[in-house]
């Protein structure tokens, strides 16, 4: 034993290293300047011999502890560049000393992480291939503040946790280490020693790559390429998407799962053909449980290997943007699955999940709920949101299961939950998390759409954070979908008794900014949708078209999910609907304004008919819609019109090209001075069974009049014309 080395060595902490209980190994094993030279140490279990190569010379290291702890005194005054040559099992491995390299996380970044405001934590936490002082390797960092010891293990060290013990940062409890020679594509996990002495293998919460599907390890992934502008061709889209911030643009969303598409080219062609403005993808993040599906997210920063590589997903987004199509990702910030390699009890304690075990489990899914009271947990989720929005240029997030976040008593019986400090059921920590997230996204990425799937009655969820609300752009209107489907499932003769389910939505249409959903969760595929409808064959198909047309006419953003194999007639129909929608300001410009909608026929429940206007501030942009959910066509149906002028049918759901009977109104109608629906003028039209007719309205100077006639009060006994605002007031 070299007495010079021995005297400078910290033996109590070396013993902790040997027994795998040292949390700060860099303090012990980093090269140290001494009066006798440079002390270099290393722990190499089962090594036969080790030497230090520096300055063209070799210095044998002495075995100071039989467990494999070596040391050498190099006769230099300054720490030279050096390598270890390790002989083990007849093989000689040459590597740099991981403890000779400094921490890659700055003090400012650590403070921001602890405060929950390190929005780009993914740039340092996780595994990042870097070159430090000419040495290539990977910088690892993971948050595990209550662990006794954390090691990074992988093929590069034969999954031996004794080889690369990580260094604990005292303020945050982040463990970090630069491991020379580890490269992109290498598999790894963290070996975590918890306080009872047990060892656990965990995947990297910030890992940007995973192995093959159902593999629970992480894979080192080089994210630097995603920052290179040369790999992106969507500059124009990214510069202009801020137009969506005012919520006065047409937004028609196609909902799908990437697993349904063999090639990205097929998805792009389908979405483009049908004219959608955005595509909403079920979670693309890695998941392990095929039964639970993608909403049981396992690796939040890793695109699922089922769908290809991270680069291939980047290319998909890039091409969609090139076609003028935005990308919205479903995201699960409410809960995570209970998996051995996952987040549960990550460092031996409830770190990511709610602290109280009895309240940590999602009452419906059996997953674990996030602890939003922890700034570091909030930082994990917020940085994950920015990761997808910035690295992959996503244009929106649809947050799943928001009601499970907001309500402490969600799905729980009385006595099975703890009220907040005010004695009520709001999860105040989750509220602050959502406000924080939404406000920062809006500030930094204007035009990105934030959508909440929340089936409760949280008030003004889509109002701004500045007004002390949550700041979402849109809320899924699941109630509208349920009401419409309940109405449509009735036999036509019974629908008069359910008329309110067709019209009630206008009473609350302006309480929030809504997404109207007729997606996979609401109706399934086309066959399942038609199965919900009465009648046979063509009758079912006509009602399906009427439902989609009514959705497009109703105030709110649109979302649907026809499958790739749907009929050419349905493709043509939905494509034409989307073209009409995007080219008609009346259908989106005042979508959230009472004055953008006015009933013409609200109470024709006996006939199963409704009629209404969609409007802008320009009279000539007015649209008149007449929707029949009756099985009988009408050959001479009279409807009041907003003013004297010409009325041209610009869309009819019964056209033969869409699979209909062809009962249309090909000729332009001139309004006649025949009072109807409390209006001075009216037209008569052909109204198909289960059909929707849409007319453009061109005002003309009224014959024989020099000034516009003022409206008269409604006569007793007659229905009063009511706008959306008036209905709300009532």
């Amino acid at each position: 034993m070299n007495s010079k080395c021995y005297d400078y060595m910290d033996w109590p902490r070396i013993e902790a290293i040997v027994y795998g209980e040292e949390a700060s190994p860099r303090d012990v094993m980093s090269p140290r300047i001494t009066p006798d030279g440079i002390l270099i140490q290393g722990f190499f279990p089962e090594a036969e011999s080790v030497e230090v190569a520096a300055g063209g010379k070799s210095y044998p290291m002495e075995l100071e502890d039989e467990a494999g702890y070596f040391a050498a005194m190099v006769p230099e005054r300054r720490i030279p560049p050096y390598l270890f040559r390790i002989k083990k099992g007849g093989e000689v491995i040459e590597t740099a000393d991981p403890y000779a390299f400094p921490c890659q996380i700055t003090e400012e970044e650590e403070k921001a992480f602890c405060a929950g405001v390190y929005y780009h934590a993914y740039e340092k936490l996780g595994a990042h291939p870097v070159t430090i002082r000419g040495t290539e390797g990977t910088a690892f960092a993971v948050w595990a503040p209550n662990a006794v010891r954390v090691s990074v293990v992988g093929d590069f060290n034969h999954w031996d946790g004794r080889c690369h013990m990580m260094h604990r940062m005292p303020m945050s409890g982040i463990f970090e280490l630069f491991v020379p020679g580890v490269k992109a594509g290498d598999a790894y996990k963290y070996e975590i020693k918890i306080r009872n002495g047990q060892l656990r293998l965990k995947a990297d919460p910030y890992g940007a790559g995973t192995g093959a599907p159902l593999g629970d390890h992480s894979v080192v992934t080089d994210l630097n390429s995603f920052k290179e502008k040369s790999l992106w061709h969507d500059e124009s889209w990214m510069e202009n998407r801020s137009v969506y911030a005012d919520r006065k643009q047409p937004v028609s969303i196609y909902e799908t799962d990437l697993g349904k598409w063999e090639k990205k080219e097929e998805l792009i062609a389908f979405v483009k053909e049908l004219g959608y403005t955005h595509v909403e993808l079920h979670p693309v993040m890695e998941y392990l449980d095929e039964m639970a599906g993608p909403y049981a997210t396992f690796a939040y920063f890793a695109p699922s290997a089922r769908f290809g590589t991270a680069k291939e997903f980047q290319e998909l987004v890039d091409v969609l943007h090139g076609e003028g199509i935005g990308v919205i990702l479903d995201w699960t910030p409410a809960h995570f699955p209970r998996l051995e390699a996952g987040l549960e009890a990550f460092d031996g304690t409830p770190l990511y999940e709610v602290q109280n075990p009895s309240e940590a489990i999602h009452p419906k899914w059996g997953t674990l709920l996030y602890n939003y009271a922890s700034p570091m947990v909030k930082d994990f989720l917020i940085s994950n949101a920015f990761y997808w929005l910035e690295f992959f240029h996503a244009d929106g997030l649809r947050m799943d299961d928001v009601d499970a976040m907001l309500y402490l008593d969600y799905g729980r019986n009385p006595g099975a939950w703890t009220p907040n400090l005010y004695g009520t059921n709001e999860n105040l920590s989750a509220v602050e998390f959502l406000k924080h997230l939404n406000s920062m996204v809006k500030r930094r990425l204007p035009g990105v759409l934030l959508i909440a799937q929340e089936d409760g009655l949280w008030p003004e969820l889509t109002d701004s954070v500045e007004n002390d609300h949550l700041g979402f752009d849109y809320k899924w209107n699941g109630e509208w979908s349920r009401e419409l489907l309940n109405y449509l499932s009735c036999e036509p003769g019974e629908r008069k008794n359910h008329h309110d389910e067709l019209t009630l939505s206008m009473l609350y249409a302006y309480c929030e900014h809504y997404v109207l959903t007729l997606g996979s969760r609401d109706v399934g595929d086309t066959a399942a949708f038609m199965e919900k409808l009465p009648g046979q064959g063509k009758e079912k198909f006509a009602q399906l078209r009427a439902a989609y047309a009514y959705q497009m006419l109703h105030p709110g953003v649109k979302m649907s999910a026809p499958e790739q194999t749907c009929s050419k007639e349905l493709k043509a129909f939905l494509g034409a609907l989307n073209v009409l929608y995007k080219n008609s300001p009346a259908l989106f410009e005042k979508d959230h304004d009472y004055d953008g909608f006015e009933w013409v026929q609200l109470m024709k429940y006996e006939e199963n008919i409704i009629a209404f206007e969609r409007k802008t501030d320009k009279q000539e942009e007015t649209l008149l819609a007449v929707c029949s959910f009756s099985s009988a066509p009408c050959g001479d149906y009279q409807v009041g019109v907003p003013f004297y002028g010409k009325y041209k049918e610009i869309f009819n759901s019964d056209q033969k090209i869409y699979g209909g009977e062809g009962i249309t109104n090909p000729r332009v109608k001139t309004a006649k001075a025949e009072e109807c629906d409390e209006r001075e003028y009216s037209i008569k039209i052909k109204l198909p069974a289960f059909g929707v007719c849409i007319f453009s309205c061109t005002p003309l100077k009224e014959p024989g009049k020099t000034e516009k006639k003022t409206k008269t009060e409604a006569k007793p006994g007659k229905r009063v014309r009511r706008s959306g605002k008036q209905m709300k007031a009532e």
Side-chain angles (χ1 to χ4, degrees), residues 141-385:
V142 62
W143 179 54
N146 303 302
V148 173
R149 182 259 297 170
V150 178
S151 298
V152 59
V153 296
D155 291 335
F156 47 84
N157 60 16
H158 305 288
W159 300 87
D160 189 340
R162 299 172 295 176
C163 296
H164 292 107
M165 300 181 192
M166 302 175 73
H167 185 84
R168 187 184 193 278
M169 302 180 71
M171 188 190 328
S172 62
I174 291 173
F175 284 79
E176 53 78 28
L177 188 68
F178 172 72
V179 182
V182 176
K183 60 188 181 302
D186 286 350
Y188 72 99
K189 281 186 178 181
Y190 295 115
E191 182 182 271
I192 299 176
K193 190 170 189 177
I194 63 177
R195 289 176 180 172
N196 64 6
Q198 292 182 350
L199 296 177
R200 296 184 177 181
L201 282 174
K202 293 287 188 177
D204 190 345
Y206 287 83
T210 58
L214 303 184
D216 63 1
H217 60 273
S218 302
V219 173
V220 177
T221 303
D222 188 359
L223 297 175
N224 290 324
S225 62
F226 291 86
K227 296 180 180 180
E228 297 178 12
K229 291 186 177 181
S230 61
L231 294 180
W232 292 95
H233 310 89
D234 62 350
E235 294 87 355
S236 177
W237 171 270
M238 296 296 287
E239 290 173 2
N240 295 321
R241 74 176 179 186
S242 59
V243 299
Y244 289 100
D246 67 4
R247 291 187 282 215
K248 294 184 178 180
Q249 312 301 319
V251 177
S252 181
I253 303 168
Y254 176 61
E255 178 211 14
T256 191
D257 188 316
L258 279 181
K260 296 180 179 179
W261 302 85
E262 291 187 7
K263 298 178 180 179
K264 68 175 185 289
E265 292 79 11
E266 295 175 348
L267 169 62
I268 295 165
F270 184 83
V271 177
K272 183 180 179 182
E273 178 187 0
L274 271 66
Y276 290 96
T277 66
H278 291 73
V279 59
E280 178 187 313
L281 303 175
H282 294 177
V284 300
M285 306 82 187
E286 190 60 86
Y287 59 98
L288 301 185
D289 190 337
E290 294 288 355
M291 293 295 293
Y295 291 90
T297 302
F298 167 68
Y300 273 73
F301 290 83
S304 175
R306 295 168 178 80
F307 312 135
T309 65
K311 188 175 186 302
E312 288 173 324
F313 181 67
Q314 173 203 27
E315 292 169 349
L316 170 63
V317 175
D318 194 44
V319 176
L320 283 165
H321 283 175
E323 298 292 347
I325 299 166
V327 179
I328 299 169
L329 303 181
D330 281 9
W331 187 49
T332 59
H335 59 110
F336 57 89
R338 307 187 70 176
L339 299 168
E340 185 176 353
L343 297 178
E344 182 177 5
F346 188 79
D347 62 357
T349 68
L351 188 64
Y352 285 88
E353 60 265 40
V354 171
Q355 301 289 297
N356 185 340
S358 65
E359 298 179 352
I361 298 175
H362 192 298
K364 184 175 181 181
W365 306 117
T367 50
L368 290 173
L369 299 169
Y370 278 106
N371 176 21
Y372 306 107
S374 166
M376 287 69 76
V377 171
K378 290 190 290 187
D379 196 89
F380 168 75
L381 292 169
I382 294 175
S383 66
N384 184 249

Side-chain angles (χ1 to χ4, degrees), residues 37-100:
I38 309 301
L39 176 63
I40 297 176
Q41 307 170 76
F43 183 42
F44 309 104
E46 301 175 11
E48 298 163 18
S49 65
V50 184
E51 61 184 28
V52 176
K57 298 180 180 180
S58 296
Y59 303 92
M61 299 186 76
E62 291 194 28
L63 180 64
E64 303 286 357
D65 186 287
E66 61 183 12
Y69 200 90
F70 291 79
M73 188 68 73
V74 176
E76 298 283 350
R77 293 186 176 182
R78 294 182 179 179
I79 299 174
Y82 64 93
L83 297 173
F84 291 128
R85 290 197 186 108
I86 308 163
K87 186 177 181 181
K88 187 175 182 180
E91 180 184 8
V92 177
I93 302 170
E94 194 170 88
T95 181
D97 182 358
Y99 303 105

Side-chain angles (χ1 to χ4, degrees), residues 616-642:
T616 69
D617 291 330
K618 298 178 182 179
Q619 197 177 43
E620 64 273 16
E621 291 179 343
T622 302
L623 294 182
L624 173 66
V626 186
C627 308
S628 172
F629 297 95
S630 169
S631 59
C634 299
D636 205 18
Y637 188 78
Q638 188 175 17
V639 59
V641 295

Side-chain angles (χ1 to χ4, degrees), residues 467-478:
N467 289 338
D468 200 27
H469 293 291
L470 296 186
F472 284 97
D473 292 289
Y474 297 102
K475 172 183 175 176
W476 264 31
N477 194 345

